[in-house]
Amino acid sequence: MTEMSELNQAAHTEFHPRWYRKRLSTWWWLGEWHYLVFILRELSSLSVAWFVGLTLFQLRAFMRGPDSYGRFTDTLQSPIMIALNLIAFCFIMLHAITWFNLAPRAMPVRVGGKRVPEFLVAAPNYVLWIAVSAFVAWLLLRTS
Amino acid sequence: MSETPKKASNEGFLWLLFSAGGVVAAILIPIQLFLFGLAFPLGWLPQPSYDHLVYLMSSPWVRLYLFVMCSLPLFHWAHRFRFTLYDGLQVKHLNEVIFAFCYGGALVGTVLAAYLLLSI
């Protein structure tokens, strides 16, 4: 893309005028489902950054003691934080699901010359995901 | 042209970080965000007590887990957001600024996470 536009500028002379290129609308991705999912998936990185930022604040509050940590958890109960975390959670889920489903495309598995169906290649990702999630929940919930 | 090989090897390393961060973000963040961001604040599940968290944090494995959970996803963000900005804004003259902002941010976050987890 960038190489092409450099080429265009280099080739721009009196007898070779600049090629006509239709200006793409900023909202080109709204028209088709695949493009929309692509853009939303790209934007999911913002939710990742949001989550890590939140976790760093949580760690800081934890480090400062129970009162500070209590104020932090109170903040998380405010409607605006609930709303933001709900949005972030949806984006994170989109990232997780698209990421797990991408594995069979990135690494097609063949058994006996036949390609293993994609859902079978993606399945271990989901098994690992559920196991790790259950373990984390168990650690946090067991003696609270 | 002489810089191409160096650049290419850098991109490979950054892509590895992006990829590893993507895996970590996909596996660890959903449950963490669900519990701390939704289930505990909304009272769906009982909030772990401070003492229980102190007990968990006393384990070096938990702190290592939290460090990995913070650092690698930041590099995932840096890579993906960099290209979102490159392609979305199409401001070629700012690409170096965007690069510095994204990976600088990921580095700062990593250092902060290490500092916090080591001083607990």
Side-chain angles (χ1 to χ4, degrees):
Chain A
M1 181 80 188
T2 45
E3 276 176 14
M4 275 298 281
S5 57
E6 263 169 17
L7 205 71
N8 284 353
Q9 274 156 22
H12 172 56
T13 63
E14 195 183 346
F15 302 106
H16 191 303
R18 201 182 282 257
W19 294 340
Y20 175 69
R21 279 172 172 260
K22 216 169 135 189
R23 181 106 175 86
L24 208 56
S25 154
T26 311
W27 310 107
W28 57 269
W29 44 277
L30 276 178
E32 187 152 355
W33 176 242
H34 279 96
Y35 297 157
L36 182 65
V37 170
F38 167 75
I39 290 290
L40 291 178
R41 199 192 70 199
E42 293 304 295
L43 288 177
S44 72
S45 72
L46 284 174
S47 291
V48 172
W50 162 261
F51 168 79
V52 175
L54 202 66
T55 303
L56 291 177
F57 273 103
Q58 187 179 15
L59 285 174
R60 194 181 70 156
F62 174 81
M63 206 181 80
R64 289 180 174 179
D67 293 343
S68 177
Y69 191 72
R71 281 196 297 279
F72 178 81
T73 51
D74 286 348
T75 311
L76 286 188
Q77 286 177 344
S78 70
I80 179 88
M81 289 302 277
I82 296 282
L84 286 170
N85 279 330
L86 184 65
I87 294 167
F89 181 71
C90 294
F91 273 107
I92 294 287
M93 288 300 277
L94 177 72
H95 161 70
I97 291 166
T98 52
W99 194 268
F100 294 146
N101 290 346
L102 213 63
R105 312 255 170 107
M107 188 188 61
V109 178
R110 282 166 190 281
V111 175
K114 269 197 163 180
R115 197 162 160 192
V116 177
E118 287 194 355
F119 72 91
L120 277 183
V121 183
N125 290 334
Y126 286 94
V127 173
L128 180 69
W129 188 27
I130 290 166
V132 170
S133 300
F135 182 65
V136 170
W138 175 75
L139 274 183
L140 284 165
L141 290 168
R142 66 186 163 149
T143 53
S144 52
Chain B
M1 261 332 238
S2 60
E3 275 195 19
T4 311
K6 191 175 139 234
K7 242 184 159 177
S9 70
N10 253 349
E11 284 297 326
F13 176 67
L14 294 175
W15 190 87
L16 254 173
L17 283 176
F18 159 75
S19 188
V23 172
V24 170
I27 288 181
L28 300 184
I29 295 184
I31 184 67
Q32 290 277 151
L33 189 56
F34 174 76
L35 290 175
F36 283 104
L38 297 171
F40 296 152
L42 291 169
W44 296 343
L45 290 167
Q47 183 102 237
S49 68
Y50 188 79
D51 289 342
H52 183 57
L53 292 179
V54 169
Y55 164 71
L56 287 177
M57 292 293 274
S58 66
S59 159
W61 294 109
V62 169
R63 278 176 289 173
L64 181 67
Y65 163 88
L66 288 173
F67 178 72
V68 170
M69 188 188 80
C70 287
S71 176
L72 284 177
L74 278 177
F75 283 94
H76 171 82
W77 162 78
H79 185 94
R80 196 166 247 182
F81 193 56
R82 173 162 71 109
F83 285 101
T84 306
L85 290 179
Y86 284 0
D87 298 339
L89 301 179
Q90 304 202 359
V91 277
K92 208 161 170 259
H93 61 289
L94 287 180
N95 278 6
E96 271 150 29
V97 179
I98 291 171
F99 186 94
F101 167 74
C102 289
Y103 288 105
L107 274 177
V108 168
T110 298
V111 170
L112 277 177
Y115 166 74
L116 286 168
L117 289 164
L118 286 174
S119 53
I120 281 169

